[in-house]
Amino acid sequence: MTVGLSALLAFLPILTILVLMVGFRLPATRAMPPAFLLTLTLAYFIWEMPINWISAASLNGVIIAFEILFIVFGALTLLFTLRESGAVKSINSGFTSISPDKRIQAIIIAWLFGSFIEGAAGFGTPAALAAPLLLALGFPALAAVMVALIANSTAVSFGAVGTPTLIGLGTSLNLPQIHEGLAANNLAYDEFIRQAGVWTSFLHIIPGVMVPLIMTVMLTRFFGKRKSIKDGLRVWPYAIFAGLSFVVPYVLVARFLGPEFPSILGGLFGMLILIPATRAGFLVPKDKWEFPERRQWNPAWMGTIDPDKEEITTSSIPLLKAWIPYSLIALLLIVTRIDLLMVNDWVRSISLESRNIFDTGINSGFEPLYNPGIFPFMFVALLSIPLFGMRTRQIRTAWSESLLRIKGPAIALIFAVPMVRLMLQSGNNPLDLPAMPVAMAEYIAGKTGALWPVISPFAGVLGTFIAGSNAVSNMLFSLFQYSVAEQIGMSRILGAAVQNFGGAIGNMVGVHNIIAACATVGLTGVEGILLKRNFIPVLIMGLTAGLIVLLMFNLSLPGNF
C-alpha cells in the first residue's frame, strides 16, 4: 500500500465526522458511532489488527471515556449546585458595578471570569455562563456569544483542571514506541507531558495577550454605532494589561505547578489584579463605549430571550461566601497535586487497574480520588448544600439537570474515544503498516516539510472544530503531530505543545460550542455568522503561533526530543 493511499484511508473516519457534523449538521451523538464503525472496519480489514488488539484498544477507550465523563459530571454538578443556591447570581452581581463600559465588562467577564470557569469546569461551561451574563448586562445576544467564544481560547489547553493536557495528550501518547524514545533520551513520560504543557503555555503568551484586544476590536467593529475598529483600539492599554494579568500567572503556574492549575489560578489571579485596578481607574479609557439604541439593532443580533427580563438582581448570599466553593476547589487541587505533600500519595493510593488487557500489553487504570470530577468537584458540591442551606428541591434540580446534560457527551465519548484508541493502536498489525495517525503524518511531512510548523496549529483547530473539545482534538491528532515533528526533525515536545495550542484556539469555532452558547441566549440560525467572524481571531492567533513554532524549530527548541 502506498503512503498516499494509507494516509487517505486513515483520514476517512475524520472525514466522515466532518461531513456528518458540518455538512449534514448531525450532533456528535449521531456522527461518532458511524465513524467508530468505519475505524473498526479499517482496523480489521485493511490494517488487519488482531481481534485481541481491537478489543483491548476499544475497552481502553471506554475506560478513558468514563474518566472524562466523571470530570464533566462533577463540573456540571458543582455549577448547577451553585446556580440553584444563588451563589452564581451573587458572583454575577459582583461584576455589574465595576464599570459601565461594555468593552471593560466583556474583558472582565468573558476573558477573566470565563478563563477561571474554564480552568475549573471546561467543556463549554465558560461560554454558557458568560454569554447569559453579558446578555443581562445589555449586550446583544449575538455579541455576547461572539465575545464569550473568543475569550474561551487561551485557557482551554488547561481547562477542567488540565484535562486536554493530562488526558488528551497524556493518554494518546502513552504508547510503547514513545516510551522507548523517551527512555533513549532519559526522559520520564510524566515529565514529557509536563514539558508539553509548559511549552503550550509559552506558545500562548503572545496570542493570549492579544485576545482581549482582538475581542474588543471585533465587538466595536461588528456591534458599535460607527462599526469602527478604532473604538476597540482605544482601549488597547487596558486590554494588553488584562491579557498580561492572566497570561503571566498562567505561564508561571504551568512552569512551576503543572498542567492542572494554569487556567484556574491564572483566571483567579487575573481577577484579583484587574478588578481592583479597574475600580481605581488604572488604564480605563475616559470615554464610555456603549451599543447603539436597541431599536437600531439588526434583528439577527437578538435571540428569543428578552434582556430586559434577565437583569441581574442582588442575591442574599454575600459575595465572599459565594466564592468559597471555587476557592476551596483551587486549594484542594493544589494540595492534592503537589508531590511533596503526603496528601498526593493518599489520594492516589486507591486505584482500579487492568494490566495486559487481552494479552496485548495495554494497561488501563482509574484513580477515583485523583479524578477531579469526584474530588474535589462532587465533594465541594456536597459541601455547598449545608454551606448555602439548600432545600431538597434545589438539590434535586441541580443533580438531575447534571444527569440530563451528561447524556449527550456520554454517547459521543463512548464512541469517539475508542475510535481514537483504535487509530492509535492500529500500528499493531502483521502487515507492518504504520498506525493511522503515523500514516497521515508521513504523507503530510513529505508534502509540507519545513513549512509544516507554520500551519501545524490548524490541525488542532480542525480537531476541535469537528469534536468541540480540545481534549478530543488532542486524542485525534496528538500522535499525528508527534509523528510529523519526528519526521521533519522538530522537537516532539513542541509537536505535542502546538497540537494542544491549536485545539485550544479551535474552541472559538467548535460547532458544538457555538450551538451550545447560542442556546443559552436563545439564538438560532446564526451559526454561520459566528463561524465566519470567529475564524478571524483563529487565523490571527494560529498564524502568530505558527511563526513562533517555525522560529523555535530553526533554533532547535525546546531541545532534541
Side-chain angles (χ1 to χ4, degrees):
M1 189 186 303
T2 65
V3 174
L5 180 58
S6 61
L8 176 62
L9 291 172
F11 185 67
L12 284 180
I14 296 167
L15 181 62
T16 300
I17 297 170
L18 192 61
V19 169
L20 292 176
M21 292 187 63
V22 179
F24 291 93
R25 297 186 179 181
L26 295 181
T29 52
R30 296 176 63 187
M32 292 303 177
F36 168 73
L37 291 175
L38 177 57
T39 307
L40 191 65
T41 302
L42 290 170
Y44 184 73
F45 289 104
I46 305 299
W47 267 258
E48 296 187 14
M49 283 181 69
I51 292 294
N52 64 323
W53 275 97
I54 290 175
S55 302
S58 300
L59 179 58
N60 189 28
V62 171
I63 294 170
I64 294 169
F66 273 101
E67 186 176 354
I68 297 171
L69 286 169
F70 270 112
I71 298 172
V72 178
F73 180 74
L76 290 174
T77 302
L78 176 67
L79 178 64
F80 293 146
T81 298
L82 298 185
R83 185 196 66 188
E84 292 301 312
S85 70
V88 167
K89 184 176 286 186
S90 286
I91 291 169
N92 290 349
S93 299
F95 291 122
T96 60
S97 61
I98 298 171
S99 171
D101 193 312
K102 299 304 180 189
R103 297 167 299 186
I104 305 297
Q105 290 176 355
I107 289 172
I108 292 174
I109 294 168
W111 171 241
L112 287 179
F113 182 58
S115 294
F116 173 80
I117 295 298
E118 175 63 36
F123 299 100
T125 52
L129 266 181
L133 175 56
L134 293 172
L135 180 76
L137 292 174
F139 280 63
L142 187 62
V145 173
M146 185 188 76
V147 297
L149 287 168
I150 294 171
N152 191 211
S153 50
T154 306
V156 175
S157 292
F158 305 102
V161 287
T163 296
T165 303
L166 294 171
I167 296 181
L169 292 180
T171 60
S172 301
L173 296 176
N174 193 6
L175 301 168
Q177 64 268 32
I178 292 178
H179 281 276
E180 290 172 8
L182 289 167
N185 286 269
N186 296 314
L187 188 63
Y189 184 74
D190 288 347
E191 177 62 17
F192 166 65
I193 295 300
R194 195 188 74 81
Q195 285 295 324
V198 171
W199 285 89
T200 298
S201 72
F202 290 166
L203 291 179
H204 274 297
I205 292 174
I206 295 176
V209 170
M210 293 164 56
V211 170
L213 184 59
I214 292 172
M215 189 173 66
T216 53
V217 165
M218 291 190 64
L219 185 66
T220 61
R221 167 63 183 84
F222 292 111
F223 298 96
K225 297 175 184 177
R226 298 183 296 180
K227 299 289 195 297
S228 171
I229 66 171
K230 291 181 180 179
D231 290 335
L233 290 173
R234 285 195 182 96
V235 77
W236 75 263
Y238 181 89
I240 296 300
F241 178 62
L244 290 168
S245 296
F246 172 76
V247 170
V248 171
Y250 169 91
V251 172
L252 291 174
V253 169
R255 171 65 180 83
F256 294 106
L257 287 181
E260 293 97 340
F261 310 111
S263 296
I264 191 169
L265 293 183
L268 183 60
F269 283 118
M271 285 188 286
L272 292 174
I273 294 167
L274 192 67
I275 291 175
T278 305
R279 291 189 186 278
F282 181 68
L283 299 178
V284 175
K286 291 184 172 62
D287 65 306
K288 186 188 82 170
W289 186 84
E290 183 57 90
F291 296 105
E293 294 180 16
R294 189 160 302 162
R295 57 186 174 80
Q296 298 176 345
W297 290 4
N298 187 315
W301 293 8
M302 296 178 281
T304 57
I305 298 174
D306 185 356
D308 290 333
K309 296 180 180 179
E310 296 295 319
E311 291 182 359
I312 299 169
T313 57
T314 303
S315 172
S316 59
I317 297 177
L319 185 59
L320 288 177
K321 186 176 181 180
W323 275 99
I324 287 176
Y326 284 127
S327 303
L328 187 58
I329 281 174
L331 177 64
L332 289 174
L333 285 171
I334 293 171
V335 169
T336 56
R337 264 60 180 178
I338 295 176
D339 292 335
L340 296 176
L341 301 177
M342 296 295 291
V343 180
N344 178 271
D345 294 332
W346 178 74
V347 296
R348 305 197 74 169
S349 63
I350 301 172
S351 179
L352 308 174
E353 294 185 355
S354 296
R355 293 193 169 276
N356 194 28
I357 302 173
F358 302 136
D359 295 321
T360 59
I362 295 176
N363 301 321
S364 192
F366 179 60
E367 298 171 331
L369 293 183
Y370 200 69
N371 183 289
I374 298 172
F375 188 83
F377 290 160
M378 291 188 205
F379 176 71
V380 173
L382 292 172
L383 288 181
S384 299
I385 294 171
L387 176 66
F388 299 120
M390 295 179 66
R391 299 185 180 93
T392 304
R393 178 184 55 80
Q394 294 173 306
I395 301 166
R396 187 186 302 114
T397 300
W399 286 74
S400 61
E401 189 167 345
S402 300
L403 284 169
L404 185 65
R405 293 286 186 94
I406 202 71
K407 288 181 181 178
I411 295 170
L413 285 168
I414 289 298
F415 287 98
V417 183
M419 178 195 78
V420 171
R421 298 307 300 179
L422 273 176
M423 295 179 75
L424 295 175
Q425 297 289 358
S426 58
N428 296 288
N429 63 77
L431 305 178
D432 289 329
L433 291 174
M436 295 181 196
V438 177
M440 290 187 284
E442 289 178 352
Y443 181 76
I444 293 294
K447 293 296 181 182
T448 61
L451 288 176
W452 172 251
V454 179
I455 58 175
S456 58
F458 295 99
V461 171
L462 175 63
T464 307
F465 173 72
I466 295 168
S469 164
N470 190 16
V472 178
S473 175
N474 287 350
M475 290 180 187
L476 281 169
F477 289 122
S478 58
L479 182 58
F480 165 78
Q481 294 268 26
Y482 177 98
S483 301
V484 174
E486 190 173 38
Q487 295 281 335
I488 66 174
M490 186 172 84
S491 163
R492 282 148 282 182
I493 292 174
L494 185 57
V498 75
Q499 164 58 36
N500 204 14
F501 170 90
I505 66 170
N507 204 64
M508 290 184 269
V509 291
V511 177
H512 280 138
N513 299 325
I514 290 175
I515 293 171
C518 284
T520 65
V521 294
L523 273 174
T524 56
V526 296
E527 293 84 0
I529 297 173
L530 286 165
L531 273 172
K532 182 179 177 181
R533 291 180 181 175
N534 283 10
F535 189 70
I536 296 170
V538 168
L539 189 63
I540 294 170
M541 295 172 69
L543 288 176
T544 301
L547 292 172
I548 294 170
V549 173
L550 181 62
L551 178 63
M552 289 180 174
F553 175 38
N554 289 325
L555 294 174
S556 298
L557 295 173
N560 295 327
F561 194 84

